[in-house]
Amino acid sequence: RVSEYLDLEAVAMKAMTTTSSGTKLQTAGMWYIDVVCNGKPLVMKPGKQYMINVNMTGDVKDMKVFTGQQKNGLLNWKEESDDHVIKPGDPITVKVADSSAYENEENWEGEGENYAMRDQVYFANNNQYGLQLNDFGWLNCDAFDDTQQLTDLMVRGDIDEKTIVMLVYGKRKSVLPGYLCKDKKTVLFSNIASDETAMLVVFKKTDEKGSVSRYTQVLQPGKENRIRVSMTASTAENLRNEIKGKLSDL
């Protein structure tokens, strides 16, 4: 079973932020994958892998594979060393069965393990990253954000512990969480990029039928360091469309 999150408005609506223990990330896509048989979860056999190809936008980046864990209602991403990302155009070597030279002709019954194995090299598509994975669960194809132009942003107003506050960067594809201060009324974004226009997204569910209170604002971090939020009644669908529309204009 696969859930795919490639569009920033979908990522924002799910509050699927792009940080790894506080370090900012830029994403090429997120997935939730689980495999079940007769109601029981399965795991990948040791030494085996599967592949995901994800379209590239912008310049080629040093993407890595991250797995996600829920922490305080948000996803925290951990870099994985066993999985890796193949950059567009890079060679990929895979083991394939050589049907012209299977090892035990007399006893062969069609099982792949009886074939002699050989390396086959092909190249990743020029417009896609290739993810070689052996993990299930929350997965992310991300690069560390190494910008040196940083600033802080403080958000106040109609905010409480149940309010989701995020800063969305369209070009670098980052969704950053705001952290509630001790006064329970202020949210702080620290060390955020000031070299790109961003969109502040604030919302809170008001019932289970899709109603929300929401506030959005396009801003330039660094030039605007304090924002006061005044939320209005809306729906989740309208909020998603508003996020999508404003991001397309950035």
Side-chain angles (χ1 to χ4, degrees):
R1 300 181 295 192
V2 180
S3 298
E4 185 177 55
Y5 302 89
L6 302 181
D7 298 325
L8 279 182
E9 66 270 16
V11 173
M13 291 300 296
K14 288 285 188 178
M16 297 167 60
T17 49
T18 57
T19 59
S20 177
S21 298
T23 302
K24 279 70 172 177
L25 304 172
Q26 301 179 34
T27 187
M30 305 180 188
W31 301 266
Y32 185 82
I33 301 174
D34 67 341
V35 184
V36 296
C37 181
N38 297 325
K40 296 181 179 180
L42 304 184
V43 297
M44 181 64 69
K45 184 177 180 180
K48 300 294 184 180
Q49 291 181 316
Y50 64 102
M51 196 85 173
I52 291 178
N53 292 323
V54 57
N55 289 337
M56 181 192 72
T57 57
D59 298 329
V60 177
K61 299 173 184 175
D62 185 18
M63 309 302 283
K64 304 178 186 299
V65 176
F66 293 78
T67 56
Q69 299 291 330
Q70 290 283 349
K71 184 178 181 181
N72 298 326
L74 298 172
L75 278 170
N76 182 61
W77 298 98
K78 175 187 175 185
E79 182 182 351
E80 294 296 332
S81 58
D82 293 337
D83 307 317
H84 68 282
V85 178
I86 300 164
K87 294 180 181 179
D90 280 359
I92 305 171
T93 301
V94 296
K95 292 285 187 182
V96 298
D98 187 349
S99 59
S100 66
Y102 51 84
E103 294 175 339
N104 189 345
E105 183 172 354
E106 293 182 359
N107 297 324
W108 181 67
E109 295 178 352
E111 297 294 334
E113 62 187 17
N114 290 318
Y115 281 106
M117 304 301 289
R118 61 180 174 83
D119 288 340
Q120 178 171 308
V121 178
Y122 65 99
F123 291 86
N125 292 332
N126 282 324
N127 64 339
Q128 291 183 331
Y129 294 104
L131 283 66
Q132 288 187 335
L133 304 163
N134 57 18
D135 292 299
F136 298 129
W138 283 109
L139 299 160
N140 202 339
C141 179
D142 276 18
F144 287 105
D145 191 336
D146 57 1
T147 183
Q148 300 299 309
Q149 301 179 50
L150 302 174
T151 189
D152 294 340
L153 174 67
M154 186 171 291
V155 180
R156 302 197 70 182
D158 293 342
I159 293 172
D160 59 28
E161 293 175 298
K162 296 182 179 180
T163 307
I164 296 172
V165 185
M166 297 169 291
L167 199 62
V168 183
Y169 289 88
K171 294 179 181 178
R172 65 192 344 115
K173 297 198 74 173
S174 291
V175 180
L176 305 182
Y179 294 99
L180 195 64
C181 299
K182 291 182 179 179
D183 64 4
K184 306 297 184 182
K185 299 178 181 178
T186 308
V187 167
L188 177 65
F189 295 90
S190 59
N191 295 323
I192 56 173
S194 61
D195 59 350
E196 180 187 334
T197 302
M199 180 180 181
L200 178 67
V201 178
V202 183
F203 71 95
K204 180 172 65 174
K205 291 183 179 180
T206 54
D207 63 29
E208 297 303 320
K209 298 180 180 180
S211 297
V212 299
S213 297
R214 58 101 175 129
Y215 176 89
T216 64
Q217 179 179 338
V218 174
L219 57 92
Q220 181 65 54
K223 293 183 178 179
E224 300 169 87
N225 297 103
R226 295 177 180 272
I227 302 293
R228 178 163 289 278
V229 169
S230 180
M231 301 233 275
T232 58
S234 185
T235 66
E237 182 179 0
N238 287 340
L239 174 58
R240 178 168 179 163
N241 290 334
E242 183 174 339
I243 295 171
K244 184 176 181 179
K246 287 187 176 180
L247 287 177
S248 67
D249 293 335
L250 295 182

